Amino acid sequence: MKRSTTILVLSAILLTTSFAATAEQNRALAATATAQTATKAQIVSSVNLRDKPSTSGKIIELVKKGATVTILENSNSYFYKVKTSDGKTGYVSSSSKYISVGSGNAASEQTSASVIYGVNLRTAPSTSTGKIITMLKKGTVVTILEKSGDFYKIKTAGGQVGYVSSSSKYLQLKGNGSSSNEGSTSSNQTKIAKVISTGKKYLGTPYEYGSDRNTTKTFDCSDFVRQAYKEALGITLPSDSRKQGTWVKDNGTAKSSISSLKAGDLVFFMSYKGSSESAYKNVDKSKETITHVALYLGNGEMLHTYSQASGGVRIDKLDGAWKFRFLFGGSVLK
Protein backbone atom coordinates (compact mmCIF):
# COMPACT_ATOMS: atom_id res chain seq x y z
CA MET A 1 0.00 0.00 0.00
CA LYS A 2 2.75 2.44 1.01
CA ARG A 3 4.72 1.48 -2.11
CA SER A 4 1.69 2.20 -4.35
CA THR A 5 1.15 5.55 -2.66
CA THR A 6 4.82 6.47 -3.17
CA ILE A 7 4.67 5.57 -6.86
CA LEU A 8 1.53 7.69 -7.33
CA VAL A 9 3.15 10.70 -5.61
CA LEU A 10 6.32 10.37 -7.69
CA SER A 11 4.27 10.09 -10.88
CA ALA A 12 2.34 13.23 -10.00
CA ILE A 13 5.57 15.12 -9.33
CA LEU A 14 7.12 13.99 -12.63
CA LEU A 15 3.96 14.86 -14.55
CA THR A 16 3.81 18.33 -12.98
CA THR A 17 7.51 18.90 -13.68
CA SER A 18 7.01 17.79 -17.28
CA PHE A 19 4.12 20.23 -17.79
CA ALA A 20 6.14 23.05 -16.21
CA ALA A 21 9.17 22.30 -18.39
CA THR A 22 7.00 22.17 -21.49
CA ALA A 23 5.37 25.47 -20.61
CA GLU A 24 8.77 27.05 -20.03
CA GLN A 25 10.04 25.73 -23.36
CA ASN A 26 6.99 27.18 -25.10
CA ARG A 27 7.58 30.56 -23.51
CA ALA A 28 11.22 30.45 -24.61
CA LEU A 29 10.23 29.46 -28.13
CA ALA A 30 7.66 32.25 -28.25
CA ALA A 31 10.24 34.78 -27.05
CA THR A 32 12.71 33.54 -29.64
CA ALA A 33 10.14 33.75 -32.41
CA THR A 34 9.17 37.27 -31.37
CA ALA A 35 12.77 38.41 -31.50
CA GLN A 36 13.66 36.72 -34.80
CA THR A 37 13.82 40.00 -36.72
CA ALA A 38 15.41 42.08 -33.96
CA THR A 39 19.07 42.85 -33.38
CA LYS A 40 20.45 40.14 -31.10
CA ALA A 41 23.60 39.99 -29.00
CA GLN A 42 25.12 37.66 -26.45
CA ILE A 43 26.48 38.60 -23.03
CA VAL A 44 30.07 37.31 -22.86
CA SER A 45 30.77 38.53 -19.32
CA SER A 46 28.17 39.34 -16.66
CA VAL A 47 27.17 43.00 -16.94
CA ASN A 48 24.91 45.43 -15.07
CA LEU A 49 21.60 46.43 -16.65
CA ARG A 50 21.05 50.10 -15.77
CA ASP A 51 18.14 52.55 -15.96
CA LYS A 52 20.08 55.05 -18.08
CA PRO A 53 23.10 54.94 -20.45
CA SER A 54 25.70 55.88 -17.86
CA THR A 55 27.62 54.25 -15.03
CA SER A 56 25.68 56.62 -12.76
CA GLY A 57 22.46 54.86 -13.80
CA LYS A 58 20.78 52.71 -11.16
CA ILE A 59 21.38 48.96 -11.48
CA ILE A 60 18.21 47.07 -12.45
CA GLU A 61 19.82 43.63 -12.39
CA LEU A 62 22.95 41.71 -13.35
CA VAL A 63 22.67 40.11 -16.78
CA LYS A 64 24.67 36.90 -16.61
CA LYS A 65 27.22 35.52 -19.04
CA GLY A 66 25.62 33.55 -21.85
CA ALA A 67 22.35 35.49 -21.82
CA THR A 68 20.95 36.69 -25.14
CA VAL A 69 19.53 40.21 -25.33
CA THR A 70 17.78 42.28 -27.99
CA ILE A 71 19.52 45.55 -28.88
CA LEU A 72 16.94 48.33 -29.25
CA GLU A 73 19.34 51.16 -30.04
CA ASN A 74 22.95 52.31 -29.86
CA SER A 75 22.34 54.95 -27.18
CA ASN A 76 25.82 56.47 -27.23
CA SER A 77 29.46 55.49 -27.67
CA TYR A 78 29.42 53.41 -24.48
CA PHE A 79 25.96 51.89 -24.00
CA TYR A 80 23.30 49.85 -25.79
CA LYS A 81 19.62 50.04 -24.90
CA VAL A 82 18.58 46.38 -24.65
CA LYS A 83 15.68 44.13 -23.77
CA THR A 84 16.41 40.97 -21.80
CA SER A 85 14.78 37.60 -22.40
CA ASP A 86 12.49 38.18 -19.41
CA GLY A 87 11.26 41.50 -20.82
CA LYS A 88 13.29 43.99 -18.79
CA THR A 89 14.52 47.07 -20.70
CA GLY A 90 17.62 49.03 -19.76
CA TYR A 91 21.17 49.91 -20.72
CA VAL A 92 24.35 47.81 -20.79
CA SER A 93 27.94 48.61 -21.69
CA SER A 94 28.65 48.24 -25.43
CA SER A 95 32.22 47.14 -24.71
CA SER A 96 33.15 43.85 -26.38
CA LYS A 97 34.33 42.76 -22.93
CA TYR A 98 30.66 42.37 -21.98
CA ILE A 99 28.60 41.95 -25.16
CA SER A 100 29.10 40.36 -28.56
CA VAL A 101 26.93 41.46 -31.46
CA GLY A 102 26.15 38.85 -34.10
CA SER A 103 27.87 35.94 -32.34
CA GLY A 104 26.88 32.79 -30.45
CA ASN A 105 23.17 32.02 -30.71
CA ALA A 106 22.63 35.23 -32.68
CA ALA A 107 25.25 34.50 -35.34
CA SER A 108 22.69 33.98 -38.08
CA GLU A 109 20.82 37.17 -37.21
CA GLN A 110 23.10 39.78 -38.75
CA THR A 111 22.64 43.39 -37.79
CA SER A 112 22.07 46.16 -40.30
CA ALA A 113 23.39 49.68 -39.71
CA SER A 114 23.45 52.99 -41.53
CA VAL A 115 26.47 55.30 -41.80
CA ILE A 116 25.46 58.71 -40.39
CA TYR A 117 28.88 60.35 -40.73
CA GLY A 118 31.66 59.49 -43.20
CA VAL A 119 33.84 56.76 -41.65
CA ASN A 120 36.97 54.89 -42.74
CA LEU A 121 36.70 51.18 -43.58
CA ARG A 122 39.94 49.55 -42.35
CA THR A 123 41.74 46.24 -42.73
CA ALA A 124 42.02 45.74 -38.96
CA PRO A 125 40.14 46.96 -35.83
CA SER A 126 42.67 49.71 -35.09
CA THR A 127 43.44 53.24 -36.29
CA SER A 128 47.17 52.52 -36.05
CA THR A 129 47.50 49.08 -37.67
CA GLY A 130 44.36 49.04 -39.80
CA LYS A 131 45.01 50.38 -43.30
CA ILE A 132 42.22 52.45 -44.86
CA ILE A 133 40.38 50.51 -47.57
CA THR A 134 37.93 53.30 -48.42
CA MET A 135 35.71 55.90 -46.79
CA LEU A 136 32.08 54.91 -46.37
CA LYS A 137 29.84 57.88 -47.09
CA LYS A 138 26.85 59.06 -45.07
CA GLY A 139 23.77 56.99 -45.96
CA THR A 140 25.70 53.80 -46.73
CA VAL A 141 23.95 50.69 -45.35
CA VAL A 142 26.21 47.94 -44.01
CA THR A 143 25.87 44.56 -42.31
CA ILE A 144 27.56 44.15 -38.92
CA LEU A 145 29.27 40.77 -38.67
CA GLU A 146 30.74 41.11 -35.18
CA LYS A 147 32.06 43.61 -32.63
CA SER A 148 35.79 43.81 -32.04
CA GLY A 149 36.83 46.21 -29.27
CA ASP A 150 35.82 49.72 -30.33
CA PHE A 151 35.21 48.55 -33.90
CA TYR A 152 32.58 46.64 -35.87
CA LYS A 153 33.54 44.13 -38.52
CA ILE A 154 31.15 44.95 -41.36
CA LYS A 155 30.25 43.98 -44.90
CA THR A 156 29.12 46.52 -47.48
CA ALA A 157 26.44 45.99 -50.12
CA GLY A 158 29.28 45.62 -52.63
CA GLY A 159 30.84 42.77 -50.66
CA GLN A 160 33.77 44.62 -49.07
CA VAL A 161 34.59 43.40 -45.56
CA GLY A 162 36.51 45.46 -43.04
CA TYR A 163 36.36 47.34 -39.75
CA VAL A 164 34.75 50.66 -38.82
CA SER A 165 34.47 52.58 -35.55
CA SER A 166 31.52 51.47 -33.40
CA SER A 167 30.97 55.03 -32.15
CA SER A 168 27.37 56.26 -32.46
CA LYS A 169 28.86 59.29 -34.19
CA TYR A 170 29.41 57.15 -37.28
CA LEU A 171 26.86 54.33 -37.25
CA GLN A 172 23.20 54.00 -36.34
CA LEU A 173 22.03 50.47 -35.64
CA LYS A 174 18.71 49.53 -37.16
CA GLY A 175 16.88 48.16 -34.12
CA ASN A 176 13.19 48.03 -33.35
CA GLY A 177 12.88 51.35 -31.59
CA SER A 178 10.22 53.92 -32.51
CA SER A 179 10.44 55.08 -36.09
CA SER A 180 7.76 57.74 -35.93
CA ASN A 181 8.71 61.40 -36.23
CA GLU A 182 6.70 62.14 -33.11
CA GLY A 183 8.65 59.60 -31.06
CA SER A 184 11.94 60.80 -32.48
CA THR A 185 11.10 64.43 -31.71
CA SER A 186 10.07 63.61 -28.15
CA SER A 187 13.27 61.62 -27.62
CA ASN A 188 15.41 64.44 -28.99
CA GLN A 189 13.72 67.00 -26.76
CA THR A 190 14.64 64.93 -23.72
CA LYS A 191 18.21 64.63 -24.95
CA ILE A 192 18.51 68.36 -25.66
CA ALA A 193 17.20 69.19 -22.19
CA LYS A 194 19.94 67.00 -20.76
CA VAL A 195 22.62 68.70 -22.88
CA ILE A 196 21.47 72.17 -21.81
CA SER A 197 21.27 71.13 -18.15
CA THR A 198 24.80 69.72 -18.36
CA GLY A 199 26.09 72.88 -20.00
CA LYS A 200 24.49 75.15 -17.41
CA LYS A 201 26.21 73.38 -14.54
CA TYR A 202 29.47 74.82 -15.87
CA LEU A 203 28.29 78.45 -15.70
CA GLY A 204 31.22 80.61 -14.54
CA THR A 205 33.91 78.07 -15.47
CA PRO A 206 36.96 80.12 -16.55
CA TYR A 207 37.85 80.64 -20.21
CA GLU A 208 41.16 79.43 -21.61
CA TYR A 209 42.07 79.45 -25.30
CA GLY A 210 43.19 75.97 -26.36
CA SER A 211 41.93 74.45 -23.10
CA ASP A 212 42.75 70.85 -22.22
CA ARG A 213 40.02 68.59 -23.68
CA ASN A 214 40.60 66.07 -20.88
CA THR A 215 39.59 68.36 -18.00
CA THR A 216 36.67 70.63 -17.13
CA LYS A 217 38.69 73.20 -15.15
CA THR A 218 38.69 75.63 -18.08
CA PHE A 219 37.03 75.80 -21.50
CA ASP A 220 37.35 77.57 -24.80
CA CYS A 221 34.21 77.81 -26.95
CA SER A 222 34.51 74.54 -28.87
CA ASP A 223 35.72 72.59 -25.84
CA PHE A 224 32.66 73.73 -23.90
CA VAL A 225 29.98 72.61 -26.41
CA ARG A 226 31.94 69.40 -27.00
CA GLN A 227 31.93 68.64 -23.25
CA ALA A 228 28.18 69.32 -22.95
CA TYR A 229 27.30 66.79 -25.65
CA LYS A 230 29.93 64.25 -24.62
CA GLU A 231 28.95 64.27 -20.95
CA ALA A 232 25.20 64.39 -21.51
CA LEU A 233 24.78 62.00 -24.43
CA GLY A 234 28.15 60.35 -25.08
CA ILE A 235 28.44 62.15 -28.44
CA THR A 236 32.04 63.24 -29.08
CA LEU A 237 32.15 66.19 -31.45
CA PRO A 238 35.33 67.35 -33.22
CA SER A 239 37.64 69.38 -30.99
CA ASP A 240 37.57 72.74 -32.80
CA SER A 241 34.75 75.02 -33.96
CA ARG A 242 35.54 74.84 -37.69
CA LYS A 243 35.42 71.05 -37.72
CA GLN A 244 32.26 71.15 -35.59
CA GLY A 245 30.68 73.38 -38.23
CA THR A 246 31.63 70.88 -40.95
CA TRP A 247 30.26 68.04 -38.81
CA VAL A 248 26.88 69.78 -38.47
CA LYS A 249 26.71 70.48 -42.23
CA ASP A 250 27.61 66.87 -43.08
CA ASN A 251 25.08 65.37 -40.68
CA GLY A 252 22.11 67.66 -41.09
CA THR A 253 20.85 70.90 -42.56
CA ALA A 254 22.67 74.17 -41.94
CA LYS A 255 20.27 76.96 -40.91
CA SER A 256 21.23 80.42 -42.14
CA SER A 257 18.31 82.11 -40.40
CA ILE A 258 18.38 82.77 -36.65
CA SER A 259 14.58 82.46 -36.55
CA SER A 260 14.80 78.80 -37.66
CA LEU A 261 17.13 77.79 -34.81
CA LYS A 262 15.96 75.33 -32.15
CA ALA A 263 17.16 74.69 -28.61
CA GLY A 264 20.26 72.50 -28.62
CA ASP A 265 21.50 73.70 -32.01
CA LEU A 266 25.12 74.70 -32.33
CA VAL A 267 25.50 78.25 -33.66
CA PHE A 268 28.62 79.43 -35.50
CA PHE A 269 30.07 82.91 -35.88
CA MET A 270 32.75 84.74 -37.87
CA SER A 271 35.29 87.24 -36.55
CA TYR A 272 34.21 90.49 -34.91
CA LYS A 273 34.31 93.39 -37.35
CA GLY A 274 32.42 96.01 -35.39
CA SER A 275 29.29 96.54 -33.32
CA SER A 276 27.12 98.05 -36.05
CA GLU A 277 25.31 96.31 -38.89
CA SER A 278 27.10 98.50 -41.45
CA ALA A 279 30.42 96.87 -40.52
CA TYR A 280 29.14 93.59 -41.99
CA LYS A 281 27.21 95.01 -44.95
CA ASN A 282 29.61 93.92 -47.71
CA VAL A 283 30.81 90.71 -46.07
CA ASP A 284 30.42 87.48 -48.05
CA LYS A 285 29.58 85.10 -45.21
CA SER A 286 30.07 82.04 -47.42
CA LYS A 287 33.78 82.86 -47.49
CA GLU A 288 34.16 83.69 -43.81
CA THR A 289 35.94 81.36 -41.36
CA ILE A 290 34.24 80.10 -38.21
CA THR A 291 35.87 81.64 -35.15
CA HIS A 292 33.28 80.92 -32.45
CA VAL A 293 30.61 78.37 -31.52
CA ALA A 294 27.82 78.47 -28.93
CA LEU A 295 24.92 76.32 -27.72
CA TYR A 296 21.54 77.82 -28.59
CA LEU A 297 19.04 77.72 -25.72
CA GLY A 298 15.95 78.99 -27.52
CA ASN A 299 14.14 82.31 -26.99
CA GLY A 300 17.06 84.21 -28.50
CA GLU A 301 19.58 83.05 -25.88
CA MET A 302 22.84 81.12 -26.15
CA LEU A 303 25.19 79.42 -23.71
CA HIS A 304 28.90 79.84 -24.47
CA THR A 305 32.32 81.09 -23.42
CA TYR A 306 34.60 83.44 -25.33
CA SER A 307 37.04 85.35 -23.09
CA GLN A 308 38.54 85.58 -19.62
CA ALA A 309 37.22 89.12 -19.25
CA SER A 310 33.64 88.01 -19.90
CA GLY A 311 33.70 85.71 -16.89
CA GLY A 312 33.88 82.31 -18.59
CA VAL A 313 30.79 80.22 -19.38
CA ARG A 314 27.75 82.49 -19.54
CA ILE A 315 24.33 83.08 -21.10
CA ASP A 316 23.96 85.89 -23.64
CA LYS A 317 21.32 87.19 -26.01
CA LEU A 318 21.92 86.36 -29.67
CA ASP A 319 21.64 90.00 -30.69
CA GLY A 320 23.83 93.03 -31.40
CA ALA A 321 27.19 92.11 -32.90
CA TRP A 322 26.48 88.41 -32.33
CA LYS A 323 23.52 88.66 -34.69
CA PHE A 324 25.69 90.31 -37.37
CA ARG A 325 28.48 87.76 -36.92
CA PHE A 326 26.13 84.76 -37.17
CA LEU A 327 27.03 82.39 -40.03
CA PHE A 328 24.74 79.38 -39.55
CA GLY A 329 23.49 76.88 -37.01
CA GLY A 330 22.37 73.29 -36.95
CA SER A 331 21.41 70.28 -34.88
CA VAL A 332 23.82 67.64 -33.59
CA LEU A 333 20.95 65.13 -33.34
CA LYS A 334 18.94 63.53 -36.12
Side-chain angles (χ1 to χ4, degrees):
M1 181 65 179
K2 290 183 180 180
R3 183 180 179 185
S4 298
T5 302
T6 302
I7 290 173
L8 287 172
V9 171
L10 288 174
S11 297
I13 292 173
L14 288 171
L15 186 60
T16 302
T17 303
S18 176
F19 284 145
T22 301
E24 185 60 35
Q25 287 171 359
N26 288 338
R27 283 194 292 271
L29 288 171
T32 301
T34 301
Q36 280 292 320
T37 59
T39 301
K40 302 301 287 289
Q42 188 172 40
I43 302 302
V44 294
S45 180
S46 296
V47 62
N48 288 321
L49 180 72
R50 298 178 181 273
D51 68 351
K52 61 182 180 179
S54 167
T55 52
S56 62
K58 292 182 180 179
I59 298 172
I60 299 172
E61 67 176 23
L62 182 69
V63 185
K64 295 183 179 180
K65 177 181 178 180
T68 298
V69 297
T70 303
I71 296 178
L72 303 180
E73 66 180 30
N74 194 357
S75 301
N76 55 44
S77 299
Y78 309 103
F79 282 83
Y80 287 134
K81 183 178 182 180
V82 305
K83 186 175 182 180
T84 65
S85 58
D86 60 355
K88 290 187 176 68
T89 300
Y91 301 86
V92 298
S93 170
S94 61
S95 169
S96 59
K97 172 183 176 183
Y98 298 106
I99 190 167
S100 178
V101 178
S103 63
N105 294 333
S108 62
E109 298 171 14
Q110 296 176 332
T111 306
S112 179
S114 179
V115 176
I116 57 176
Y117 186 73
V119 61
N120 288 324
L121 179 68
R122 298 178 180 274
T123 58
S126 167
T127 54
S128 57
T129 61
K131 293 181 179 180
I132 298 174
I133 300 171
T134 186
M135 173 176 275
L136 302 180
K137 295 181 179 179
K138 177 184 175 183
T140 302
V141 176
V142 300
T143 299
I144 296 176
L145 304 178
E146 65 182 46
K147 195 168 190 294
S148 180
D150 294 325
F151 286 79
Y152 285 131
K153 183 178 182 181
I154 63 97
K155 184 177 182 179
T156 67
Q160 285 182 306
V161 176
Y163 298 85
V164 298
S165 170
S166 61
S167 169
S168 58
K169 171 185 173 181
Y170 299 107
L171 289 184
Q172 183 175 52
L173 297 183
K174 293 188 175 182
N176 58 350
S178 171
S179 59
S180 69
N181 290 331
E182 183 179 349
S184 175
T185 300
S186 176
S187 175
N188 282 353
Q189 288 175 346
T190 301
K191 291 177 180 178
I192 290 303
K194 189 173 182 180
V195 171
I196 290 174
S197 175
T198 300
K200 284 183 176 180
K201 83 176 189 179
Y202 289 111
L203 283 168
T205 301
Y207 175 87
E208 180 187 13
Y209 178 75
S211 55
D212 186 347
R213 268 53 179 164
N214 296 314
T215 77
T216 57
K217 294 180 180 179
T218 60
F219 293 116
D220 61 18
C221 65
S222 54
D223 184 19
F224 169 66
V225 297
R226 182 175 184 267
Q227 179 64 30
Y229 268 95
K230 183 179 180 180
E231 185 176 329
L233 304 180
I235 297 174
T236 304
L237 296 168
S239 59
D240 69 71
S241 59
R242 289 173 293 284
K243 289 181 180 178
Q244 288 172 355
T246 300
W247 193 94
V248 166
K249 284 184 174 180
D250 287 346
N251 287 274
T253 302
K255 304 170 185 176
S256 58
S257 171
I258 291 176
S259 62
S260 65
L261 294 173
K262 294 182 178 180
D265 284 354
L266 297 188
V267 283
F268 300 93
F269 304 88
M270 63 180 174
S271 298
Y272 177 80
K273 300 181 185 299
S275 58
S276 64
E277 185 175 5
S278 60
Y280 303 84
K281 187 175 181 180
N282 297 317
V283 173
D284 183 352
K285 289 189 175 183
S286 67
K287 296 181 180 179
E288 289 294 316
T289 300
I290 294 171
T291 60
H292 184 64
V293 60
L295 178 64
Y296 189 64
L297 301 179
N299 299 317
E301 292 186 327
M302 59 184 182
L303 183 63
H304 64 156
T305 184
Y306 60 91
S307 71
Q308 291 181 337
S310 69
V313 178
R314 56 183 285 162
I315 296 174
D316 280 316
K317 285 287 186 180
L318 206 173
D319 59 11
W322 288 116
K323 181 173 66 175
F324 307 138
R325 293 173 60 187
F326 174 77
L327 293 176
F328 66 91
S331 177
V332 171
L333 304 179
K334 289 291 181 182

